[in-house]
Structures are given as structure tokens and as C-alpha cells.
Amino acid sequence: EAGVAQSPRYKIIEKRQSVAFWCNPISGHATLYWYQQILGQGPKLLIQFQNNGVVDDSQLPKDRFSAERLKGVDSTLKIQPAKLEDSAVYLCASSLSGTGGGFWGYTFGSGTRLTVV
Amino acid sequence: QKEVEQNSGPLSVPEGAIASLNCTYSDRGSQSFFWYRQYSGKSPELIMSIYSNGDKEDGRFTAQLNKASQYVSLLIRDSQPSDSATYLCAVRGGSARQLTFGSGTQLTVLP
């Protein structure tokens, strides 16, 4: 099966600019996650979607970050305006089921490495 | 208190030895536990999952879970230089069942 697709792989922007990342999950995976991984740290959840609804966005800095999954398939994460501390790898992951039953691990995409200068 | 804690390392072992990686978690309601391997510059890759107390073996890898002690470990037997990576412990719990990751343990296997 095709994996989780993400683009772009790399992005360099200046602070206060905006940037958007795209993710297409594995076909049939209802749950989609965006994680932020700062160098030397573990991934931190930003937002979780179940189909096209938000399940958890408690750790998303909503003053500058937004995400959508309009048709329950692919998703876009946006940062506007970017800050230096947003430099990180943004990982998209998907799983068969995120809520209710099921104990599946995630499959991660290759990530987008963002550098804010 | 961090939700998922790992020794950051680095941990170095000689080739052929057993590498032991440890993880503790704070949420007693956690139900499933995962180990991911992350090579430098790459995304995390799932290598083991465990749900019940005891041991689970898969090739050279053994995951161990002790829910009473809130402790998960990963043993890598016959370590190879290709096992050199950061190992992330992840715990699934909470109402939304998302994974919470530790900060990872960097493992180096010396030839």
C-alpha cells in the first residue's frame, strides 16, 4: 500500500512569513495526526482529525497555526506568521482508528523540515 | 512530571551485545505501548507494539511491559551497527487515544 505522502520535504522561510504543509494519509485511514518534532525531542501532537472532524487540538497554537481536513482525506497545516521557534520537522501520521476500539500504531510520512530564519 | 520518560542516552553497546532501552509512563489508564525507531533525518518507524503484561518477541527485538510499575522496555539482542538510531517510546491513552511520545534514547552500536 502507498504510504503517507507529505510535501514539501524542506522549506526555509523568514520569520513572520506564512507556510503551508500538505499530507495525504494511507487510503482508508480515518484518523490523521499532525506532530511537531523539534531537534532532540520526541514528536508532539498538534492536532488529531477523525474523518474531517477535529478530535483534539489542545496543543495547537491557534493564534498562528491552523489545520483543515475538508473532505476527510488529505490535510493542510498552516503557520502564519512563523516564528523562529517553529523550526522543526512537521510529521503527518495516519491510523485505521484513533478513537474507540483499536490499538494500531501510526504510520508516519517522511515529514517536512521547516527552517525559520 | 513528563507523561512518558526515557533516558536520553546516548547509549553505546558493542556489536553482538544486548541493548536495553527503558521507558516509564504516568497515565495508569494507558492501554497500548509502542516502540519506534528513528534514523537521523528520517521519520519514526514502528518496530514493536505491546498491550499485555509480559514479554513479546519479534526476531531480535523483545518488548516487555509491566503495567503495575508503569514500565516498558525494549531489548535488542545481537545488536548490529544498523540498529544505531534513536528509539522512541510511545504510549496510547487518553480519551482520544492518541500517542504520546518520549524524548527518545539514542543508541549507538559499535563495530
Side-chain angles (χ1 to χ4, degrees):
Chain A
E1 64 179 3
V4 177
Q6 285 190 252
S7 66
R9 285 299 309 275
Y10 306 94
K11 192 74 177 178
I12 300 175
I13 62 172
E14 295 183 349
K15 60 183 179 183
R16 291 187 289 274
Q17 286 187 326
S18 64
V19 64
F21 313 125
W22 175 83
C23 172
N24 192 25
I26 292 173
S27 178
H29 280 196
T31 310
L32 184 148
Y33 312 82
W34 284 101
Y35 277 80
Q36 179 194 58
Q37 187 174 25
I38 293 172
L39 187 64
Q41 299 181 19
K44 185 187 87 171
L45 180 70
L46 292 176
I47 190 167
Q48 176 183 351
F49 291 96
Q50 180 75 12
N51 296 309
N52 61 347
V54 175
V55 175
D56 185 350
D57 64 356
S58 58
Q59 298 187 82
L60 187 73
K62 298 180 186 63
D63 58 333
R64 299 183 300 106
F65 286 65
S66 64
E68 60 182 13
R69 191 184 185 198
L70 291 177
K71 297 181 180 179
V73 181
D74 57 350
S75 175
T76 303
L77 176 70
K78 297 179 182 178
I79 307 174
Q80 182 180 11
K83 292 185 175 181
L84 296 177
E85 58 260 36
D86 297 332
S87 294
V89 176
Y90 291 84
L91 295 163
C92 179
S94 68
S95 69
L96 280 169
S97 176
T99 60
F103 300 97
W104 298 278
Y106 302 168
T107 301
F108 282 93
S110 55
T112 295
R113 184 176 299 275
L114 174 67
T115 302
V116 182
V117 297
Chain B
Q1 181 186 11
K2 288 184 180 178
E3 293 183 42
V4 181
E5 291 209 49
Q6 297 181 250
N7 291 330
S8 60
L11 173 66
S12 295
V13 299
E15 184 174 355
I18 296 175
S20 177
L21 306 164
N22 304 317
C23 172
T24 58
Y25 60 95
S26 60
D27 182 2
R28 283 196 171 274
S30 299
Q31 298 183 358
S32 48
F33 308 86
F34 303 85
W35 284 98
Y36 282 81
R37 177 176 62 200
Q38 187 172 29
Y39 291 114
S40 180
K42 301 294 185 183
S43 59
E45 170 194 12
L46 179 64
I47 55 172
M48 288 288 289
S49 59
I50 187 166
Y51 317 123
S52 305
N53 281 327
D55 295 359
K56 178 182 178 183
E57 187 174 317
D58 184 0
R60 297 186 296 111
F61 298 99
T62 299
Q64 299 174 317
L65 173 61
N66 183 326
K67 289 186 178 180
S69 300
Q70 296 175 248
Y71 177 86
V72 189
S73 66
L74 179 70
L75 301 177
I76 306 175
R77 292 182 300 282
D78 188 23
S79 295
Q80 301 297 309
S82 58
D83 295 326
S84 298
T86 296
Y87 288 81
L88 297 162
C89 173
V91 175
R92 189 168 213 160
S95 58
R97 302 285 188 99
Q98 70 262 123
L99 290 184
T100 299
F101 286 83
S103 57
T105 298
Q106 184 178 347
L107 171 68
T108 300
V109 180
L110 304 171

mmCIF file of all heavy atoms in Angstrom, chain B residues 14-42:
data_model
loop_
_atom_site.group_PDB
_atom_site.id
_atom_site.type_symbol
_atom_site.label_atom_id
_atom_site.label_comp_id
_atom_site.label_asym_id
_atom_site.label_seq_id
_atom_site.Cartn_x
_atom_site.Cartn_y
_atom_site.Cartn_z
ATOM 1 N N PRO B 14 28.547 -2.668 22.325
ATOM 2 C CA PRO B 14 29.348 -3.279 21.258
ATOM 3 C C PRO B 14 28.492 -4.188 20.388
ATOM 4 O O PRO B 14 27.442 -4.698 20.810
ATOM 5 C CB PRO B 14 30.405 -4.089 22.031
ATOM 6 C CG PRO B 14 29.760 -4.389 23.343
ATOM 7 C CD PRO B 14 28.859 -3.229 23.651
ATOM 8 N N GLU B 15 28.909 -4.358 19.173
ATOM 9 C CA GLU B 15 28.203 -5.240 18.239
ATOM 10 C C GLU B 15 28.066 -6.631 18.847
ATOM 11 O O GLU B 15 29.006 -7.175 19.425
ATOM 12 C CB GLU B 15 28.976 -5.318 16.919
ATOM 13 C CG GLU B 15 28.285 -6.133 15.845
ATOM 14 C CD GLU B 15 29.023 -6.062 14.508
ATOM 15 O OE1 GLU B 15 30.008 -5.307 14.413
ATOM 16 O OE2 GLU B 15 28.599 -6.754 13.564
ATOM 17 N N GLY B 16 26.858 -7.205 18.733
ATOM 18 C CA GLY B 16 26.595 -8.532 19.268
ATOM 19 C C GLY B 16 26.046 -8.536 20.676
ATOM 20 O O GLY B 16 25.548 -9.562 21.152
ATOM 21 N N ALA B 17 26.109 -7.416 21.359
ATOM 22 C CA ALA B 17 25.619 -7.332 22.740
ATOM 23 C C ALA B 17 24.107 -7.094 22.759
ATOM 24 O O ALA B 17 23.469 -6.898 21.724
ATOM 25 C CB ALA B 17 26.334 -6.205 23.475
ATOM 26 N N ILE B 18 23.537 -7.139 23.962
ATOM 27 C CA ILE B 18 22.128 -6.821 24.151
ATOM 28 C C ILE B 18 21.993 -5.350 24.543
ATOM 29 O O ILE B 18 22.641 -4.895 25.482
ATOM 30 C CB ILE B 18 21.505 -7.704 25.254
ATOM 31 C CG1 ILE B 18 21.517 -9.179 24.848
ATOM 32 C CG2 ILE B 18 20.058 -7.257 25.544
ATOM 33 C CD1 ILE B 18 21.023 -10.116 25.932
ATOM 34 N N ALA B 19 21.150 -4.646 23.811
ATOM 35 C CA ALA B 19 20.851 -3.250 24.153
ATOM 36 C C ALA B 19 19.523 -3.226 24.897
ATOM 37 O O ALA B 19 18.551 -3.860 24.472
ATOM 38 C CB ALA B 19 20.780 -2.385 22.905
ATOM 39 N N SER B 20 19.479 -2.495 26.002
ATOM 40 C CA SER B 20 18.280 -2.416 26.820
ATOM 41 C C SER B 20 17.815 -0.971 26.912
ATOM 42 O O SER B 20 18.559 -0.100 27.365
ATOM 43 C CB SER B 20 18.571 -2.960 28.221
ATOM 44 O OG SER B 20 17.427 -2.831 29.053
ATOM 45 N N LEU B 21 16.599 -0.727 26.463
ATOM 46 C CA LEU B 21 16.039 0.625 26.437
ATOM 47 C C LEU B 21 14.814 0.659 27.341
ATOM 48 O O LEU B 21 13.980 -0.250 27.301
ATOM 49 C CB LEU B 21 15.646 1.001 25.008
ATOM 50 C CG LEU B 21 16.772 0.848 23.988
ATOM 51 C CD1 LEU B 21 16.220 0.853 22.579
ATOM 52 C CD2 LEU B 21 17.785 1.958 24.172
ATOM 53 N N ASN B 22 14.710 1.697 28.146
ATOM 54 C CA ASN B 22 13.663 1.745 29.160
ATOM 55 C C ASN B 22 12.760 2.964 29.009
ATOM 56 O O ASN B 22 13.177 4.000 28.505
ATOM 57 C CB ASN B 22 14.309 1.777 30.549
ATOM 58 C CG ASN B 22 15.230 0.611 30.762
ATOM 59 O OD1 ASN B 22 14.914 -0.518 30.409
ATOM 60 N ND2 ASN B 22 16.402 0.873 31.322
ATOM 61 N N CYS B 23 11.538 2.805 29.509
ATOM 62 C CA CYS B 23 10.528 3.859 29.385
ATOM 63 C C CYS B 23 9.554 3.738 30.547
ATOM 64 O O CYS B 23 9.132 2.626 30.885
ATOM 65 C CB CYS B 23 9.819 3.683 28.035
ATOM 66 S SG CYS B 23 8.384 4.722 27.758
ATOM 67 N N THR B 24 9.208 4.853 31.146
ATOM 68 C CA THR B 24 8.148 4.866 32.164
ATOM 69 C C THR B 24 7.074 5.846 31.724
ATOM 70 O O THR B 24 7.344 6.789 30.977
ATOM 71 C CB THR B 24 8.685 5.271 33.543
ATOM 72 O OG1 THR B 24 9.291 6.571 33.457
ATOM 73 C CG2 THR B 24 9.703 4.276 34.062
ATOM 74 N N TYR B 25 5.852 5.607 32.198
ATOM 75 C CA TYR B 25 4.737 6.460 31.815
ATOM 76 C C TYR B 25 3.889 6.783 33.036
ATOM 77 O O TYR B 25 3.899 6.052 34.027
ATOM 78 C CB TYR B 25 3.900 5.808 30.714
ATOM 79 C CG TYR B 25 3.300 4.472 31.098
ATOM 80 C CD1 TYR B 25 2.007 4.383 31.601
ATOM 81 C CD2 TYR B 25 4.025 3.288 30.933
ATOM 82 C CE1 TYR B 25 1.459 3.159 31.952
ATOM 83 C CE2 TYR B 25 3.488 2.066 31.286
ATOM 84 C CZ TYR B 25 2.205 2.008 31.792
ATOM 85 O OH TYR B 25 1.656 0.793 32.150
ATOM 86 N N SER B 26 3.156 7.875 32.967
ATOM 87 C CA SER B 26 2.447 8.359 34.151
ATOM 88 C C SER B 26 0.952 8.019 34.160
ATOM 89 O O SER B 26 0.344 7.946 35.228
ATOM 90 C CB SER B 26 2.620 9.873 34.279
ATOM 91 O OG SER B 26 2.098 10.528 33.139
ATOM 92 N N ASP B 27 0.358 7.799 32.983
ATOM 93 C CA ASP B 27 -1.081 7.564 32.915
ATOM 94 C C ASP B 27 -1.404 6.084 33.116
ATOM 95 O O ASP B 27 -1.162 5.267 32.232
ATOM 96 C CB ASP B 27 -1.614 8.047 31.557
ATOM 97 C CG ASP B 27 -3.124 7.870 31.422
ATOM 98 O OD1 ASP B 27 -3.781 7.418 32.389
ATOM 99 O OD2 ASP B 27 -3.651 8.186 30.337
ATOM 100 N N ARG B 28 -1.993 5.756 34.283
ATOM 101 C CA ARG B 28 -2.293 4.358 34.589
ATOM 102 C C ARG B 28 -3.361 3.774 33.664
ATOM 103 O O ARG B 28 -3.504 2.571 33.556
ATOM 104 C CB ARG B 28 -2.765 4.231 36.039
ATOM 105 C CG ARG B 28 -1.646 4.298 37.050
ATOM 106 C CD ARG B 28 -2.078 3.793 38.405
ATOM 107 N NE ARG B 28 -0.939 3.665 39.299
ATOM 108 C CZ ARG B 28 -0.166 2.595 39.352
ATOM 109 N NH1 ARG B 28 -0.412 1.561 38.573
ATOM 110 N NH2 ARG B 28 0.852 2.551 40.189
ATOM 111 N N GLY B 29 -4.115 4.649 32.991
ATOM 112 C CA GLY B 29 -5.146 4.178 32.070
ATOM 113 C C GLY B 29 -4.630 3.843 30.684
ATOM 114 O O GLY B 29 -5.404 3.431 29.819
ATOM 115 N N SER B 30 -3.345 4.008 30.461
ATOM 116 C CA SER B 30 -2.767 3.718 29.143
ATOM 117 C C SER B 30 -2.970 2.262 28.797
ATOM 118 O O SER B 30 -2.861 1.377 29.649
ATOM 119 C CB SER B 30 -1.277 4.051 29.134
ATOM 120 O OG SER B 30 -1.080 5.422 29.403
ATOM 121 N N GLN B 31 -3.257 2.012 27.525
ATOM 122 C CA GLN B 31 -3.660 0.667 27.131
ATOM 123 C C GLN B 31 -2.735 -0.003 26.135
ATOM 124 O O GLN B 31 -2.741 -1.221 26.011
ATOM 125 C CB GLN B 31 -5.068 0.717 26.551
ATOM 126 C CG GLN B 31 -6.106 1.202 27.545
ATOM 127 C CD GLN B 31 -7.508 1.163 26.968
ATOM 128 O OE1 GLN B 31 -7.708 0.808 25.820
ATOM 129 N NE2 GLN B 31 -8.481 1.522 27.775
ATOM 130 N N SER B 32 -1.993 0.765 25.379
ATOM 131 C CA SER B 32 -1.117 0.148 24.396
ATOM 132 C C SER B 32 0.165 0.952 24.282
ATOM 133 O O SER B 32 0.170 2.164 24.527
ATOM 134 C CB SER B 32 -1.819 0.011 23.046
ATOM 135 O OG SER B 32 -2.456 1.204 22.671
ATOM 136 N N PHE B 33 1.204 0.227 23.900
ATOM 137 C CA PHE B 33 2.558 0.778 24.020
ATOM 138 C C PHE B 33 3.347 0.409 22.773
ATOM 139 O O PHE B 33 3.213 -0.706 22.255
ATOM 140 C CB PHE B 33 3.225 0.212 25.286
ATOM 141 C CG PHE B 33 2.356 0.394 26.508
ATOM 142 C CD1 PHE B 33 1.383 -0.533 26.824
ATOM 143 C CD2 PHE B 33 2.490 1.523 27.298
ATOM 144 C CE1 PHE B 33 0.546 -0.351 27.911
ATOM 145 C CE2 PHE B 33 1.673 1.716 28.393
ATOM 146 C CZ PHE B 33 0.697 0.782 28.703
ATOM 147 N N PHE B 34 4.140 1.345 22.318
ATOM 148 C CA PHE B 34 4.809 1.163 21.039
ATOM 149 C C PHE B 34 6.265 1.602 21.147
ATOM 150 O O PHE B 34 6.602 2.520 21.896
ATOM 151 C CB PHE B 34 4.106 2.017 19.966
ATOM 152 C CG PHE B 34 2.635 1.703 19.819
ATOM 153 C CD1 PHE B 34 1.707 2.303 20.646
ATOM 154 C CD2 PHE B 34 2.193 0.815 18.866
ATOM 155 C CE1 PHE B 34 0.348 2.021 20.529
ATOM 156 C CE2 PHE B 34 0.836 0.530 18.734
ATOM 157 C CZ PHE B 34 -0.085 1.132 19.575
ATOM 158 N N TRP B 35 7.086 0.943 20.350
ATOM 159 C CA TRP B 35 8.465 1.382 20.159
ATOM 160 C C TRP B 35 8.666 1.749 18.698
ATOM 161 O O TRP B 35 8.324 0.960 17.800
ATOM 162 C CB TRP B 35 9.450 0.294 20.564
ATOM 163 C CG TRP B 35 9.586 0.158 22.046
ATOM 164 C CD1 TRP B 35 8.971 -0.752 22.855
ATOM 165 C CD2 TRP B 35 10.402 0.955 22.906
ATOM 166 N NE1 TRP B 35 9.336 -0.556 24.163
ATOM 167 C CE2 TRP B 35 10.224 0.486 24.215
ATOM 168 C CE3 TRP B 35 11.263 2.036 22.694
ATOM 169 C CZ2 TRP B 35 10.880 1.057 25.311
ATOM 170 C CZ3 TRP B 35 11.921 2.588 23.782
ATOM 171 C CH2 TRP B 35 11.727 2.105 25.077
ATOM 172 N N TYR B 36 9.200 2.939 18.488
ATOM 173 C CA TYR B 36 9.528 3.415 17.150
ATOM 174 C C TYR B 36 11.040 3.596 17.056
ATOM 175 O O TYR B 36 11.697 3.996 18.015
ATOM 176 C CB TYR B 36 8.854 4.758 16.862
ATOM 177 C CG TYR B 36 7.392 4.663 16.505
ATOM 178 C CD1 TYR B 36 6.420 4.525 17.499
ATOM 179 C CD2 TYR B 36 6.972 4.723 15.182
ATOM 180 C CE1 TYR B 36 5.077 4.444 17.176
ATOM 181 C CE2 TYR B 36 5.627 4.646 14.843
ATOM 182 C CZ TYR B 36 4.687 4.509 15.847
ATOM 183 O OH TYR B 36 3.355 4.428 15.523
ATOM 184 N N ARG B 37 11.558 3.331 15.886
ATOM 185 C CA ARG B 37 12.974 3.577 15.587
ATOM 186 C C ARG B 37 13.037 4.760 14.630
ATOM 187 O O ARG B 37 12.284 4.838 13.658
ATOM 188 C CB ARG B 37 13.609 2.340 14.939
ATOM 189 C CG ARG B 37 15.059 2.497 14.509
ATOM 190 C CD ARG B 37 15.587 1.169 13.980
ATOM 191 N NE ARG B 37 14.844 0.739 12.804
ATOM 192 C CZ ARG B 37 14.815 -0.520 12.361
ATOM 193 N NH1 ARG B 37 15.476 -1.471 13.011
ATOM 194 N NH2 ARG B 37 14.129 -0.826 11.279
ATOM 195 N N GLN B 38 13.952 5.685 14.895
ATOM 196 C CA GLN B 38 14.100 6.858 14.049
ATOM 197 C C GLN B 38 15.568 7.051 13.695
ATOM 198 O O GLN B 38 16.382 7.398 14.548
ATOM 199 C CB GLN B 38 13.536 8.105 14.730
ATOM 200 C CG GLN B 38 13.507 9.328 13.825
ATOM 201 C CD GLN B 38 12.763 10.507 14.436
ATOM 202 O OE1 GLN B 38 12.728 10.657 15.656
ATOM 203 N NE2 GLN B 38 12.170 11.332 13.592
ATOM 204 N N TYR B 39 15.880 6.829 12.441
ATOM 205 C CA TYR B 39 17.225 7.117 11.956
ATOM 206 C C TYR B 39 17.358 8.619 11.758
ATOM 207 O O TYR B 39 16.365 9.316 11.509
ATOM 208 C CB TYR B 39 17.496 6.396 10.644
ATOM 209 C CG TYR B 39 17.600 4.880 10.776
ATOM 210 C CD1 TYR B 39 16.656 4.040 10.188
ATOM 211 C CD2 TYR B 39 18.647 4.286 11.480
ATOM 212 C CE1 TYR B 39 16.743 2.657 10.300
ATOM 213 C CE2 TYR B 39 18.741 2.912 11.594
ATOM 214 C CZ TYR B 39 17.785 2.109 11.009
ATOM 215 O OH TYR B 39 17.872 0.735 11.126
ATOM 216 N N SER B 40 18.585 9.099 11.835
ATOM 217 C CA SER B 40 18.841 10.532 11.714
ATOM 218 C C SER B 40 18.294 11.067 10.389
ATOM 219 O O SER B 40 18.584 10.533 9.318
ATOM 220 C CB SER B 40 20.342 10.790 11.805
ATOM 221 O OG SER B 40 20.618 12.155 11.682
ATOM 222 N N GLY B 41 17.464 12.091 10.481
ATOM 223 C CA GLY B 41 16.914 12.715 9.287
ATOM 224 C C GLY B 41 15.725 11.990 8.684
ATOM 225 O O GLY B 41 15.220 12.390 7.630
ATOM 226 N N LYS B 42 15.284 10.927 9.340
ATOM 227 C CA LYS B 42 14.153 10.152 8.841
ATOM 228 C C LYS B 42 12.977 10.232 9.803
ATOM 229 O O LYS B 42 13.104 10.723 10.927
ATOM 230 C CB LYS B 42 14.563 8.676 8.660
ATOM 231 C CG LYS B 42 15.725 8.469 7.710
ATOM 232 C CD LYS B 42 15.381 8.848 6.295
ATOM 233 C CE LYS B 42 16.515 8.511 5.340
ATOM 234 N NZ LYS B 42 16.209 8.944 3.946
#
